[in-house]
């Protein structure tokens, strides 16, 4: 039995700076690591080291310049996310791989409840069942009931980040990618996030987080990758 969920081999990502002088920069150079089911890998390092780019290459928001990203999928078996067809990636995002960016991006006039339920809708959940789950997550995240039908674009930065995190966790992906999950949060809410990560791991999710907040996330990560 393969006990590795994800193996990253010599991952490289380059960008061409067309708006400056056409030069090429390579923030991610030959990065390799692997994680097992229920691992929490914390990636940290100074700004500009390509931490978020690693997550985006795994999620395939960016296409890697070189290297391989092997994912042990329940749907497709062992698959290279770099070479996989776009339709395969979309299916994996619906069912197996979740991503939480640092900033919430939603359509205006869509309620907080519908935003947090979006992954369940995409999985084919009945609306009533999805919203029952969504309301429980909103309670757990400390979002007051009178805000549930409001658009998150009117919320504070911390409230938006809580909605963002809830949307990532609610569908229980097998692999969850978190970009600065404790940014904009107070100490009490950071502990809620830590508990969410630990609960997700206990239920079988593997987590890769990128953060400068080693004080909050360091103790709950069983592995760390320092980029220098």
């Amino acid at each position: 039995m393969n006990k590795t969920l994800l193996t990253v081999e010599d991952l490289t990502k380059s960008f061409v700076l067309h708006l400056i002088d056409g030069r090429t920069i390579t923030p991610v150079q030959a990065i390799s690591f692997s994680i097992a089911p229920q691992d929490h890998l914390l990636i940290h390092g100074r700004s500009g080291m390509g931490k978020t780019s690693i997550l985006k290459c795994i999620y395939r928001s960016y296409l890697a310049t070189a290297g391989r990203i092997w994912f042990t999928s329940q749907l497709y078996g062992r698959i290279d996310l770099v070479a996989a067809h776009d339709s395969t990636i979309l299916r994996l995002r619906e069912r197996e791989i979740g991503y939480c960016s640092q900033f919430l991006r939603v359509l205006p006039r869509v309620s907080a409840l519908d935003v947090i339920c979006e992954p369940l809708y995409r999985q084919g959940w009945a609306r009533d069942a999805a919203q029952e789950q969504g309301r429980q997550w909103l309670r757990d995240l400390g979002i007051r009931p009178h805000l549930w039908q409001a658009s998150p674009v009117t919320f504070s930065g911390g409230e938006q980040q809580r909605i963002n995190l809830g949307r990532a966790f609610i569908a229980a992906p097998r692999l969850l990618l978190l970009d600065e999950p404790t940014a904009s949060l107070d100490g009490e809410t950071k502990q809620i996030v830590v508990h969410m990560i630990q609960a997700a791991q206990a239920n079988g999710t593997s987590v890769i987080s990128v953060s400068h907040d080693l004080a909050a996330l360091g103790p709950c990560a069983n592995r760390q990758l320092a980029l220098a």
Side-chain angles (χ1 to χ4, degrees):
M1 179 179 177
N2 189 346
K3 294 185 178 180
T4 300
L5 180 69
L6 185 82
T7 299
V8 175
E9 298 177 346
D10 295 322
L11 177 64
T12 298
K13 177 59 183 174
S14 298
F15 299 91
V16 179
L17 304 181
H18 295 288
L19 296 180
I20 301 178
D21 55 8
R23 78 180 70 175
T24 298
I25 61 171
T26 306
V28 180
Q29 291 185 293
I31 295 292
S32 298
F33 61 85
S34 63
I35 63 168
Q38 297 180 281
D39 269 354
H40 176 192
L41 173 66
L42 171 60
I43 302 175
H44 58 90
R46 67 181 187 275
S47 298
M49 297 301 296
K51 301 183 296 298
T52 296
S53 294
I54 292 172
L55 294 188
K56 289 186 174 182
C57 285
I58 295 170
Y59 197 62
R60 254 280 287 276
S61 301
Y62 292 162
L63 184 61
T65 305
R68 294 288 180 263
I69 303 172
W70 296 102
F71 178 66
T72 304
S73 167
Q74 288 181 336
L75 292 171
Y76 303 106
R78 192 168 187 260
I79 185 171
D80 179 11
L81 299 178
V82 177
H85 192 275
D86 287 349
S87 61
T88 300
I89 296 296
L90 291 175
R91 182 71 169 161
L92 287 172
R93 289 177 181 176
E94 287 179 355
R95 298 288 174 175
E96 300 194 50
I97 303 176
Y99 180 84
C100 182
S101 65
Q102 189 174 350
F103 305 103
L104 179 67
R105 295 178 178 86
V106 295
L107 293 173
R109 295 183 295 279
V110 176
S111 73
L113 181 58
D114 280 331
V115 168
I116 205 168
C117 291
E118 179 193 355
L120 301 182
Y121 297 155
R122 286 192 275 114
Q123 287 186 359
W125 282 52
R127 189 174 184 85
D128 287 348
Q131 292 197 348
E132 182 178 351
Q133 287 285 318
R135 284 189 287 269
Q136 185 59 55
W137 275 90
L138 290 169
R139 289 188 197 98
D140 292 345
L141 290 166
I143 304 298
R144 293 161 292 173
H146 74 274
L147 294 175
W148 295 355
Q149 295 301 323
S151 169
V153 299
T154 67
F155 292 5
S156 70
E159 289 169 333
Q160 288 188 12
Q161 183 63 348
R162 279 180 271 165
I163 296 291
N164 207 19
L165 287 162
R167 183 171 61 172
F169 278 89
I170 195 170
R174 297 178 64 235
L175 176 63
L176 182 54
L177 310 171
L178 303 176
D179 188 4
E180 297 288 356
T182 57
S184 305
L185 301 180
D186 58 37
E188 182 180 351
T189 311
K190 286 181 182 183
Q191 287 308 304
I192 293 174
V193 174
V194 168
H195 293 150
M196 288 167 62
I197 292 172
Q198 292 170 332
Q201 287 180 266
N203 289 327
T205 295
S206 300
V207 178
I208 302 177
S209 60
V210 158
S211 183
H212 292 94
D213 191 357
L214 299 186
L217 294 179
C220 75
N222 62 299
R223 298 182 55 204
Q224 295 190 25
L225 173 63
L227 300 182

